[in-house]
Amino acid sequence: MDSILVRGGAELSGDIPIAGAKNACLTLMPATLLSEEPLTLTNAPRLSDIRTMTELLASLGAEVTQLQDGQVLAMSSHDIHNRTADYDIVRKMRASILVLGPLLARCGEAKVSLPGGCAIGARPVDLHLRGLEALGARLDLKDGYVHASAPGGLKGAEIAFPLVSVGATENVLMAAVLAKGTTVLRNAAREPEIVDLAHCLRKMGARIEGEGTPDITVEGVDRLHGATHPVVPDRIELGTYMLAPAIAGGTVECLGGRLDLVAAFAEKLAEAGIDVEETPRGLKVARRNGRVRAVDVETAPFPGFPTDLQAQMMALMCTAEGVSVLEETIFENRFMHAPELMRMGADIDVAGGTATVTGVGRLKGAPVMATDLRASVSLILAGLAAEGETRVNRVYHLDRGYEHVVRKLSGVGASIERVHGE
Ligand code: UD1
């Protein structure tokens, strides 16, 4: 198996281009199922999760053609000949559940394997299912699959989510655009990926208002048409690379980065003593003097501090001056990077959803591994700041969510290489 070898200590300087958002692309792709006409996405990231979604859509009968080295996805769902999302694909990627709403809305039925638990928690899909039921779907859970049907079509309804869920908001929103009448989603997620999805659906002819607020209103239409849509920049990749000069020292300009996508995170960086500046090309981040200061962080749905940047922020706090308290409020088991960071000399105390990190100044390189995407990249960041060599194993997690991580970081002067395993 491949691993990534990082030699710490190099100051960083230069540009890192930010790709289109993985999580936005994973919800925009199933939107192709809503229309017989083509949907083309530009600025798509080149990632294994995108290949998994391509495989899933193809298994349903959609055609997905990669153009311009995978940055353009030309999709057509003229003929949907299969309405079953198979266990073998869904188990690889939880976001597969996002085909449920569109398939049901377009075909009147769908059978989708239920995603199991995952490394960062139980992650149920009950809110997706309750939302679709509210739109009139009949659901039957059998043999690990959800069988959904709406023979007479879906009907608009008012749905109040008991907690904020990005995936449930996306699934129900996609179903509602073809439902009869008005749907109101209350306590909807406000993430930029939801806003991007709403923009794309509107280009396809959907009638949506209120995206980016907790209340989204949808007037159902009979059919959607084709469209071309650029995927919003990846705020998590952006935040990750903003942390690279923060932890290693130096200055990096993240090309295409936007402050509105990472405002709460950027505020914390500023509090820690990092300079963040908007430029015509993106965001410039610099650590000019000494150690960063410890700051406390609590994860929250957007516009709060993203859970997907908690592991990377913890890596920075391991090197900070003082004690920082990190509270994870979204997922119940999202500190698996802590013991790995401790193998690198970090001082971390985890109790339930709270991690208390006492900064140690310099970390020490070590062989490490992680069980999820963001945890893996936090170890790479830690390696940039560590004395000696850090070998990050289980690189396939990174391939799911970070395109060209080695090229991007070595391009700004990091000593990092991919070692091909047997
Ligand atoms: C999405 C992102 C993921 C990010 C997360 C939170 C994608 C592909 N993934 O995941 O990277 O970490 O948002 O920002 O976009 N929940 C329920 N029942 C449900 C659905 C969710 O209890 O039916 C709970 C979850 O277990 C979790 C919380 O709600 O505790 C938020 O999860 P959710 O926002 O749905 O995350 P995802 O959409 O799975």
Side-chain angles (χ1 to χ4, degrees), residues 167-211:
T169 303
E170 292 167 343
N171 230 339
V172 179
L173 176 61
M174 286 192 278
V177 295
L178 290 181
K180 282 191 192 70
T182 309
T183 297
V184 182
L185 304 182
R186 301 218 186 270
N187 201 23
R190 289 184 273 168
E191 269 66 4
E193 294 75 31
I194 306 279
V195 174
D196 204 34
L197 173 64
H199 286 178
C200 177
L201 292 171
R202 215 156 33 222
K203 282 183 200 162
M204 296 170 76
R207 294 175 58 197
I208 302 169
E209 274 175 27
E211 72 276 6

Tab-separated table of all heavy atoms in Angstrom, residues 167-211:
chain	number	residue	atom	x	y	z
A	167	GLY	N	-26.660	16.354	4.383
A	167	GLY	CA	-27.118	15.331	3.433
A	167	GLY	C	-28.640	15.275	3.339
A	167	GLY	O	-29.200	15.175	2.241
A	168	ALA	N	-29.331	15.344	4.493
A	168	ALA	CA	-30.800	15.260	4.473
A	168	ALA	C	-31.374	16.478	3.752
A	168	ALA	O	-32.325	16.359	2.966
A	168	ALA	CB	-31.348	15.155	5.900
A	169	THR	N	-30.796	17.652	3.991
A	169	THR	CA	-31.274	18.857	3.296
A	169	THR	C	-31.117	18.667	1.784
A	169	THR	O	-32.025	18.979	1.001
A	169	THR	CB	-30.490	20.110	3.773
A	169	THR	OG1	-30.639	20.234	5.190
A	169	THR	CG2	-30.985	21.377	3.101
A	170	GLU	N	-29.958	18.142	1.355
A	170	GLU	CA	-29.704	17.967	-0.083
A	170	GLU	C	-30.663	16.952	-0.709
A	170	GLU	O	-31.258	17.197	-1.772
A	170	GLU	CB	-28.252	17.493	-0.286
A	170	GLU	CG	-27.239	18.568	0.072
A	170	GLU	CD	-25.798	18.083	0.206
A	170	GLU	OE1	-25.577	16.855	0.336
A	170	GLU	OE2	-24.893	18.916	0.188
A	171	ASN	N	-30.831	15.817	-0.035
A	171	ASN	CA	-31.677	14.754	-0.576
A	171	ASN	C	-33.129	15.222	-0.724
A	171	ASN	O	-33.771	15.020	-1.771
A	171	ASN	CB	-31.618	13.548	0.372
A	171	ASN	CG	-31.319	12.251	-0.364
A	171	ASN	OD1	-31.535	12.145	-1.586
A	171	ASN	ND2	-30.842	11.262	0.352
A	172	VAL	N	-33.633	15.870	0.334
A	172	VAL	CA	-35.041	16.281	0.325
A	172	VAL	C	-35.241	17.454	-0.643
A	172	VAL	O	-36.249	17.521	-1.358
A	172	VAL	CB	-35.514	16.616	1.760
A	172	VAL	CG1	-36.964	17.054	1.748
A	172	VAL	CG2	-35.335	15.404	2.666
A	173	LEU	N	-34.243	18.351	-0.713
A	173	LEU	CA	-34.336	19.473	-1.659
A	173	LEU	C	-34.436	18.948	-3.101
A	173	LEU	O	-35.275	19.404	-3.890
A	173	LEU	CB	-33.099	20.376	-1.499
A	173	LEU	CG	-32.955	21.547	-2.455
A	173	LEU	CD1	-34.117	22.522	-2.313
A	173	LEU	CD2	-31.634	22.298	-2.204
A	174	MET	N	-33.575	17.965	-3.430
A	174	MET	CA	-33.599	17.432	-4.803
A	174	MET	C	-34.933	16.752	-5.108
A	174	MET	O	-35.429	16.833	-6.229
A	174	MET	CB	-32.426	16.477	-5.023
A	174	MET	CG	-31.105	17.228	-5.168
A	174	MET	SD	-29.753	16.183	-5.756
A	174	MET	CE	-29.241	15.405	-4.241
A	175	ALA	N	-35.505	16.082	-4.097
A	175	ALA	CA	-36.800	15.436	-4.329
A	175	ALA	C	-37.898	16.482	-4.485
A	175	ALA	O	-38.796	16.350	-5.326
A	175	ALA	CB	-37.114	14.491	-3.171
A	176	ALA	N	-37.823	17.556	-3.696
A	176	ALA	CA	-38.907	18.545	-3.651
A	176	ALA	C	-39.045	19.325	-4.954
A	176	ALA	O	-40.138	19.799	-5.272
A	176	ALA	CB	-38.683	19.506	-2.480
A	177	VAL	N	-37.940	19.454	-5.717
A	177	VAL	CA	-38.039	20.296	-6.920
A	177	VAL	C	-39.008	19.703	-7.952
A	177	VAL	O	-39.547	20.442	-8.778
A	177	VAL	CB	-36.652	20.574	-7.589
A	177	VAL	CG1	-35.772	21.399	-6.682
A	177	VAL	CG2	-35.954	19.304	-8.011
A	178	LEU	N	-39.217	18.378	-7.904
A	178	LEU	CA	-40.175	17.771	-8.844
A	178	LEU	C	-41.480	17.352	-8.156
A	178	LEU	O	-42.305	16.662	-8.757
A	178	LEU	CB	-39.537	16.559	-9.551
A	178	LEU	CG	-38.418	16.833	-10.575
A	178	LEU	CD1	-37.923	15.520	-11.193
A	178	LEU	CD2	-38.884	17.781	-11.679
A	179	ALA	N	-41.641	17.734	-6.878
A	179	ALA	CA	-42.893	17.384	-6.183
A	179	ALA	C	-43.990	18.357	-6.596
A	179	ALA	O	-43.724	19.462	-7.057
A	179	ALA	CB	-42.664	17.459	-4.669
A	180	LYS	N	-45.244	17.934	-6.396
A	180	LYS	CA	-46.364	18.839	-6.720
A	180	LYS	C	-46.561	19.820	-5.574
A	180	LYS	O	-46.653	19.409	-4.423
A	180	LYS	CB	-47.658	18.028	-6.888
A	180	LYS	CG	-47.735	17.337	-8.214
A	180	LYS	CD	-49.137	16.777	-8.445
A	180	LYS	CE	-49.124	15.838	-9.631
A	180	LYS	NZ	-48.395	14.574	-9.345
A	181	GLY	N	-46.606	21.113	-5.888
A	181	GLY	CA	-46.903	22.103	-4.841
A	181	GLY	C	-45.664	22.606	-4.119
A	181	GLY	O	-44.533	22.440	-4.578
A	182	THR	N	-45.927	23.198	-2.954
A	182	THR	CA	-44.880	23.930	-2.226
A	182	THR	C	-44.279	23.084	-1.113
A	182	THR	O	-45.016	22.466	-0.338
A	182	THR	CB	-45.499	25.198	-1.589
A	182	THR	OG1	-46.215	25.892	-2.609
A	182	THR	CG2	-44.428	26.108	-1.006
A	183	THR	N	-42.955	23.101	-1.034
A	183	THR	CA	-42.254	22.461	0.090
A	183	THR	C	-41.513	23.551	0.847
A	183	THR	O	-40.871	24.412	0.243
A	183	THR	CB	-41.247	21.411	-0.409
A	183	THR	OG1	-41.965	20.386	-1.093
A	183	THR	CG2	-40.467	20.792	0.743
A	184	VAL	N	-41.605	23.493	2.171
A	184	VAL	CA	-40.812	24.410	3.001
A	184	VAL	C	-39.921	23.563	3.901
A	184	VAL	O	-40.416	22.703	4.641
A	184	VAL	CB	-41.715	25.328	3.854
A	184	VAL	CG1	-40.857	26.294	4.676
A	184	VAL	CG2	-42.680	26.105	2.962
A	185	LEU	N	-38.615	23.778	3.800
A	185	LEU	CA	-37.667	23.074	4.665
A	185	LEU	C	-37.269	24.024	5.784
A	185	LEU	O	-36.797	25.133	5.517
A	185	LEU	CB	-36.415	22.661	3.886
A	185	LEU	CG	-36.628	21.803	2.638
A	185	LEU	CD1	-35.281	21.445	2.006
A	185	LEU	CD2	-37.390	20.532	2.990
A	186	ARG	N	-37.513	23.608	7.022
A	186	ARG	CA	-37.120	24.447	8.164
A	186	ARG	C	-35.940	23.798	8.879
A	186	ARG	O	-35.823	22.588	8.911
A	186	ARG	CB	-38.286	24.596	9.141
A	186	ARG	CG	-39.511	25.210	8.476
A	186	ARG	CD	-40.231	26.174	9.404
A	186	ARG	NE	-41.466	26.626	8.779
A	186	ARG	CZ	-41.553	27.706	8.005
A	186	ARG	NH1	-40.477	28.440	7.749
A	186	ARG	NH2	-42.711	28.054	7.475
A	187	ASN	N	-35.085	24.657	9.456
A	187	ASN	CA	-33.841	24.195	10.084
A	187	ASN	C	-32.975	23.464	9.041
A	187	ASN	O	-32.313	22.471	9.339
A	187	ASN	CB	-34.128	23.290	11.293
A	187	ASN	CG	-32.958	23.220	12.245
A	187	ASN	OD1	-32.112	24.125	12.280
A	187	ASN	ND2	-32.869	22.142	12.996
A	188	ALA	N	-33.013	23.993	7.823
A	188	ALA	CA	-32.194	23.416	6.743
A	188	ALA	C	-30.722	23.779	6.964
A	188	ALA	O	-30.406	24.769	7.620
A	188	ALA	CB	-32.653	23.994	5.401
A	189	ALA	N	-29.845	22.937	6.414
A	189	ALA	CA	-28.415	23.249	6.482
A	189	ALA	C	-28.134	24.466	5.593
A	189	ALA	O	-28.826	24.682	4.593
A	189	ALA	CB	-27.592	22.047	6.030
A	190	ARG	N	-27.119	25.252	5.980
A	190	ARG	CA	-26.813	26.497	5.263
A	190	ARG	C	-25.452	26.440	4.577
A	190	ARG	O	-24.931	27.464	4.149
A	190	ARG	CB	-26.825	27.660	6.267
A	190	ARG	CG	-28.209	27.995	6.744
A	190	ARG	CD	-28.167	29.217	7.648
A	190	ARG	NE	-27.912	28.836	9.038
A	190	ARG	CZ	-27.609	29.709	9.983
A	190	ARG	NH1	-27.485	30.995	9.703
A	190	ARG	NH2	-27.422	29.318	11.222
A	191	GLU	N	-24.860	25.251	4.515
A	191	GLU	CA	-23.501	25.116	3.983
A	191	GLU	C	-23.407	25.624	2.539
A	191	GLU	O	-24.395	25.548	1.778
A	191	GLU	CB	-23.110	23.618	3.999
A	191	GLU	CG	-22.409	23.126	5.258
A	191	GLU	CD	-23.270	23.158	6.521
A	191	GLU	OE1	-24.462	23.500	6.446
A	191	GLU	OE2	-22.720	22.844	7.593
A	192	PRO	N	-22.244	26.125	2.140
A	192	PRO	CA	-22.055	26.583	0.754
A	192	PRO	C	-22.378	25.500	-0.284
A	192	PRO	O	-22.772	25.822	-1.402
A	192	PRO	CB	-20.558	26.934	0.707
A	192	PRO	CG	-20.215	27.291	2.113
A	192	PRO	CD	-21.059	26.397	2.979
A	193	GLU	N	-22.272	24.240	0.102
A	193	GLU	CA	-22.590	23.154	-0.837
A	193	GLU	C	-24.100	23.130	-1.130
A	193	GLU	O	-24.524	22.776	-2.223
A	193	GLU	CB	-22.141	21.794	-0.269
A	193	GLU	CG	-20.624	21.643	-0.125
A	193	GLU	CD	-20.024	22.409	1.055
A	193	GLU	OE1	-20.713	22.573	2.079
A	193	GLU	OE2	-18.864	22.864	0.945
A	194	ILE	N	-24.909	23.497	-0.128
A	194	ILE	CA	-26.369	23.560	-0.322
A	194	ILE	C	-26.696	24.731	-1.257
A	194	ILE	O	-27.532	24.622	-2.157
A	194	ILE	CB	-27.095	23.802	1.032
A	194	ILE	CG1	-26.699	22.771	2.079
A	194	ILE	CG2	-28.610	23.920	0.841
A	194	ILE	CD1	-27.377	21.465	2.010
A	195	VAL	N	-26.028	25.858	-1.018
A	195	VAL	CA	-26.258	27.045	-1.857
A	195	VAL	C	-25.880	26.718	-3.302
A	195	VAL	O	-26.600	27.057	-4.251
A	195	VAL	CB	-25.427	28.242	-1.310
A	195	VAL	CG1	-25.518	29.441	-2.242
A	195	VAL	CG2	-25.901	28.602	0.095
A	196	ASP	N	-24.757	26.021	-3.466
A	196	ASP	CA	-24.296	25.659	-4.816
A	196	ASP	C	-25.307	24.733	-5.501
A	196	ASP	O	-25.624	24.896	-6.684
A	196	ASP	CB	-22.928	24.966	-4.693
A	196	ASP	CG	-22.115	25.067	-5.973
A	196	ASP	OD1	-22.227	26.103	-6.664
A	196	ASP	OD2	-21.374	24.124	-6.285
A	197	LEU	N	-25.824	23.774	-4.730
A	197	LEU	CA	-26.821	22.853	-5.289
A	197	LEU	C	-28.065	23.626	-5.723
A	197	LEU	O	-28.597	23.410	-6.827
A	197	LEU	CB	-27.188	21.786	-4.240
A	197	LEU	CG	-28.331	20.842	-4.610
A	197	LEU	CD1	-27.969	19.981	-5.828
A	197	LEU	CD2	-28.711	19.939	-3.429
A	198	ALA	N	-28.528	24.550	-4.867
A	198	ALA	CA	-29.730	25.328	-5.200
A	198	ALA	C	-29.499	26.159	-6.466
A	198	ALA	O	-30.376	26.235	-7.339
A	198	ALA	CB	-30.122	26.230	-4.026
A	199	HIS	N	-28.309	26.762	-6.584
A	199	HIS	CA	-28.000	27.544	-7.791
A	199	HIS	C	-28.074	26.677	-9.034
A	199	HIS	O	-28.629	27.064	-10.060
A	199	HIS	CB	-26.597	28.162	-7.692
A	199	HIS	CG	-26.525	29.316	-6.735
A	199	HIS	ND1	-25.373	29.985	-6.454
A	199	HIS	CD2	-27.490	29.919	-5.990
A	199	HIS	CE1	-25.612	30.952	-5.579
A	199	HIS	NE2	-26.904	30.920	-5.287
A	200	CYS	N	-27.492	25.486	-8.936
A	200	CYS	CA	-27.479	24.584	-10.096
A	200	CYS	C	-28.906	24.139	-10.449
A	200	CYS	O	-29.308	24.160	-11.615
A	200	CYS	CB	-26.582	23.381	-9.779
A	200	CYS	SG	-26.570	22.161	-11.097
A	201	LEU	N	-29.674	23.771	-9.416
A	201	LEU	CA	-31.051	23.319	-9.667
A	201	LEU	C	-31.878	24.446	-10.297
A	201	LEU	O	-32.718	24.210	-11.167
A	201	LEU	CB	-31.706	22.838	-8.362
A	201	LEU	CG	-31.126	21.551	-7.754
A	201	LEU	CD1	-31.700	21.312	-6.359
A	201	LEU	CD2	-31.412	20.335	-8.658
A	202	ARG	N	-31.619	25.680	-9.855
A	202	ARG	CA	-32.358	26.817	-10.418
A	202	ARG	C	-32.021	26.981	-11.899
A	202	ARG	O	-32.888	27.235	-12.719
A	202	ARG	CB	-32.048	28.084	-9.626
A	202	ARG	CG	-33.242	28.968	-9.542
A	202	ARG	CD	-33.331	29.930	-8.410
A	202	ARG	NE	-32.081	30.455	-7.967
A	202	ARG	CZ	-31.775	30.607	-6.686
A	202	ARG	NH1	-32.628	30.244	-5.748
A	202	ARG	NH2	-30.629	31.107	-6.338
A	203	LYS	N	-30.711	26.787	-12.234
A	203	LYS	CA	-30.337	26.850	-13.660
A	203	LYS	C	-31.062	25.773	-14.457
A	203	LYS	O	-31.285	25.918	-15.655
A	203	LYS	CB	-28.829	26.614	-13.824
A	203	LYS	CG	-27.979	27.802	-13.489
A	203	LYS	CD	-26.519	27.471	-13.766
A	203	LYS	CE	-25.628	28.425	-13.006
A	203	LYS	NZ	-24.254	27.930	-12.880
A	204	MET	N	-31.387	24.663	-13.780
A	204	MET	CA	-32.086	23.565	-14.463
A	204	MET	C	-33.599	23.817	-14.520
A	204	MET	O	-34.344	22.972	-15.023
A	204	MET	CB	-31.811	22.233	-13.746
A	204	MET	CG	-30.352	21.807	-13.785
A	204	MET	SD	-30.012	20.399	-12.685
A	204	MET	CE	-30.718	19.033	-13.633
A	205	GLY	N	-34.054	24.945	-13.953
A	205	GLY	CA	-35.483	25.282	-14.032
A	205	GLY	C	-36.231	25.124	-12.729
A	205	GLY	O	-37.444	25.342	-12.680
A	206	ALA	N	-35.538	24.739	-11.646
A	206	ALA	CA	-36.221	24.574	-10.355
A	206	ALA	C	-36.566	25.940	-9.779
A	206	ALA	O	-35.915	26.938	-10.087
A	206	ALA	CB	-35.325	23.813	-9.383
A	207	ARG	N	-37.595	25.961	-8.931
A	207	ARG	CA	-37.992	27.226	-8.279
A	207	ARG	C	-37.706	27.106	-6.783
A	207	ARG	O	-38.441	26.429	-6.050
A	207	ARG	CB	-39.459	27.529	-8.585
A	207	ARG	CG	-39.626	27.810	-10.099
A	207	ARG	CD	-41.070	28.008	-10.478
A	207	ARG	NE	-41.679	29.092	-9.741
A	207	ARG	CZ	-42.991	29.280	-9.641
A	207	ARG	NH1	-43.828	28.450	-10.238
A	207	ARG	NH2	-43.476	30.307	-8.969
A	208	ILE	N	-36.614	27.718	-6.382
A	208	ILE	CA	-36.115	27.600	-4.997
A	208	ILE	C	-35.812	28.990	-4.463
A	208	ILE	O	-35.242	29.813	-5.170
A	208	ILE	CB	-34.803	26.768	-4.961
A	208	ILE	CG1	-35.025	25.368	-5.551
A	208	ILE	CG2	-34.244	26.667	-3.546
A	208	ILE	CD1	-33.753	24.587	-5.785
A	209	GLU	N	-36.175	29.203	-3.204
A	209	GLU	CA	-35.802	30.470	-2.532
A	209	GLU	C	-35.309	30.168	-1.130
A	209	GLU	O	-35.788	29.217	-0.497
A	209	GLU	CB	-37.045	31.365	-2.372
A	209	GLU	CG	-37.322	32.225	-3.566
A	209	GLU	CD	-38.633	32.985	-3.387
A	209	GLU	OE1	-39.019	33.248	-2.229
A	209	GLU	OE2	-39.259	33.277	-4.417
A	210	GLY	N	-34.380	30.983	-0.662
A	210	GLY	CA	-33.984	30.914	0.747
A	210	GLY	C	-32.754	30.059	1.027
A	210	GLY	O	-32.399	29.874	2.189
A	211	GLU	N	-32.099	29.536	-0.027
A	211	GLU	CA	-30.896	28.729	0.246
A	211	GLU	C	-29.849	29.595	0.936
A	211	GLU	O	-29.742	30.790	0.654
A	211	GLU	CB	-30.333	28.138	-1.056
A	211	GLU	CG	-29.649	29.117	-1.987
A	211	GLU	CD	-30.618	29.874	-2.899
A	211	GLU	OE1	-31.850	29.727	-2.731
A	211	GLU	OE2	-30.130	30.612	-3.778
